[in-house]
Amino acid sequence: MKCLLKRTVLTIGLVVVALGWLRPGLVFAQQIRVVATWPALADITRQIGKELVNVDTLATGVEDPHGVPMKPSFVPRLNRADLLVLIGLDDELSWLPALLEVASNPKLLPGQPGYLDCSVGIPVAESPSIRDRSEGDLHPKGNPHYLLDPIYTKIAAQNIASGLSRNFPQHQATFEKNLKSYITELDSWIVRWEKMTAPLKGVKFVEYHQEWVYFANRYGLKRIGAVELKPGIEPTPNHIVSLVQQIKQEKAKVLLYGAQNPRIPEQIANETGIKALRLYSSSGGRPETDSYIKWIDYTVRTLVQSSS
């Protein structure tokens, strides 16, 4: 009995000592549960939330940007989440609303504090003057692929920090400090990318899906056409013939595609000599692009090398 009592006292003593080493406020703190629709947003959220957040992501970065396959495992993640971080501009319209309905988490519904739309304040490109199905099934509110411009990504990061602070004001100082550090790091990369992309100015390119306008506007590339007739509408044979002729006439250098089937890009490349590049419109598509900064850096380096 005495031996058992000694072991019990020793165990309690070790627990007290161990707890003494933990930082105040973090002993029994539960992390903020965040679900991001895309890996790039998940990475930015982690940079701002650090150890205060546990961030899960639904898409992996290799899916069709507007057609992420819905998995049963998404539902419990959304049901337990405190916050939802999304691209907005109806980028996730074809799959996210149905998931939110089944997840039954009122905190994450549009208009609620836990619904963090990162597109707020973004100068939207390619906003259509007519919004109906004749203009394609996608991009009804303009082009949602703004994360391809690192300047606009700073706006998204600020939206995430504001959303975290709004929902968890007790950690606002930490979020603002982490945001400032991340923006400082991102700014240093932006200066570097501006120098690296000098050879891209005036380079003519073709895209499969209309998602490169922000990158092109930032770094001076010139888009001459798209494989899709309109966002979400696959090409006809006549359109391919016309596009091939245009590529030859304009001497376009690269054709960019991501989640799409490579058959048509490879066919066009064989007929024209244009270089077909698979570059995804989010981080995570390749192991070397597992963060936002790594993704943009890989994209810049690949395009500069392929366009020289």
Side-chain angles (χ1 to χ4, degrees):
M1 179 66 70
K2 290 182 179 180
C3 182
L4 178 61
L5 180 60
K6 286 181 180 179
R7 285 201 300 269
T8 303
V9 171
L10 179 60
T11 300
I12 294 173
L14 289 173
V15 170
V16 171
V17 171
L19 291 176
W21 284 97
L22 294 176
R23 284 180 289 171
L26 292 181
V27 176
F28 297 111
Q30 182 178 4
Q31 288 181 305
I32 300 165
R33 293 165 296 191
V34 182
V35 171
T37 53
W38 289 97
L41 294 179
D43 173 61
I44 297 168
T45 304
R46 292 187 189 102
Q47 302 305 318
I48 297 169
K50 299 293 185 182
E51 72 275 3
L52 293 173
V53 298
N54 181 358
V55 187
D56 200 357
T57 182
L58 300 180
T60 64
V62 300
E63 300 92 342
D64 181 321
H66 301 284
V68 175
M70 291 184 284
K71 300 178 181 178
S73 61
F74 290 173
V75 175
R77 297 185 212 176
L78 289 165
N79 176 261
R80 294 190 297 263
D82 299 304
L83 301 174
L84 171 66
V85 180
L86 66 151
I87 293 289
L89 296 174
D90 283 352
D91 181 66
E92 298 94 347
L93 182 62
S94 67
W95 54 279
L96 186 60
L99 287 169
L100 290 177
E101 184 177 353
V102 177
S104 300
N105 186 343
K107 293 184 294 185
L108 307 189
L109 295 178
Q112 298 304 309
Y115 185 91
L116 305 188
D117 183 342
C118 293
S119 70
V120 175
I122 296 290
V124 180
E126 299 178 344
S127 183
S129 56
I130 301 174
R131 296 184 179 180
D132 60 36
R133 293 226 176 246
S134 68
E135 296 303 306
D137 292 334
L138 310 175
H139 299 187
K141 296 181 179 179
N143 196 303
H145 304 291
Y146 56 83
L147 290 182
L148 279 161
D149 183 338
I151 300 294
Y152 290 173
T153 297
K154 294 197 293 183
I155 299 175
Q158 290 164 354
N159 286 335
I160 292 171
S162 296
L164 286 167
S165 297
R166 183 170 60 251
N167 285 273
F168 300 92
Q170 68 271 32
H171 301 304
Q172 181 173 354
T174 299
F175 297 142
E176 290 179 351
K177 177 184 175 183
N178 293 342
L179 171 65
K180 184 177 180 180
S181 296
Y182 183 65
I183 294 297
T184 298
E185 181 184 8
L186 188 55
D187 278 337
S188 68
W189 280 96
I190 287 171
V191 171
R192 192 178 312 180
W193 292 327
E194 190 66 35
K195 295 177 181 177
M196 290 171 58
T197 54
L200 294 180
K201 287 180 172 57
V203 168
K204 297 177 180 179
F205 76 98
V206 174
E207 56 189 348
Y208 196 110
H209 175 67
Q210 290 179 218
E211 54 193 339
W212 289 90
V213 59
Y214 296 100
F215 188 95
N217 288 347
R218 179 61 55 194
Y219 297 119
L221 290 86
K222 183 179 179 182
R223 174 187 177 274
I224 68 161
V227 174
E228 290 180 337
L229 285 169
K230 293 175 182 178
I233 299 179
E234 288 299 311
T236 62
N238 286 340
H239 177 70
I240 296 298
V241 171
S242 177
L243 184 61
V244 165
Q245 292 175 345
Q246 189 176 9
I247 290 171
K248 291 178 179 178
Q249 291 171 358
E250 298 280 354
K251 296 182 172 58
K253 288 192 173 183
V254 291
L255 189 163
L256 303 176
Y257 71 103
Q260 298 85 11
N261 189 311
R263 182 182 62 82
I264 294 178
E266 290 173 357
Q267 172 192 337
I268 294 174
N270 290 335
E271 294 183 27
T272 65
I274 196 172
K275 190 170 293 184
L277 290 180
R278 169 164 268 169
L279 289 174
Y280 292 100
S281 58
S282 180
S283 64
R286 290 181 172 83
E288 62 269 47
T289 65
D290 59 356
S291 74
Y292 176 80
I293 288 175
K294 288 182 181 179
W295 165 49
I296 296 297
D297 191 56
Y298 177 86
T299 301
V300 166
R301 292 179 183 277
T302 302
L303 271 170
V304 170
Q305 182 180 4
S306 300
S307 302
S308 59

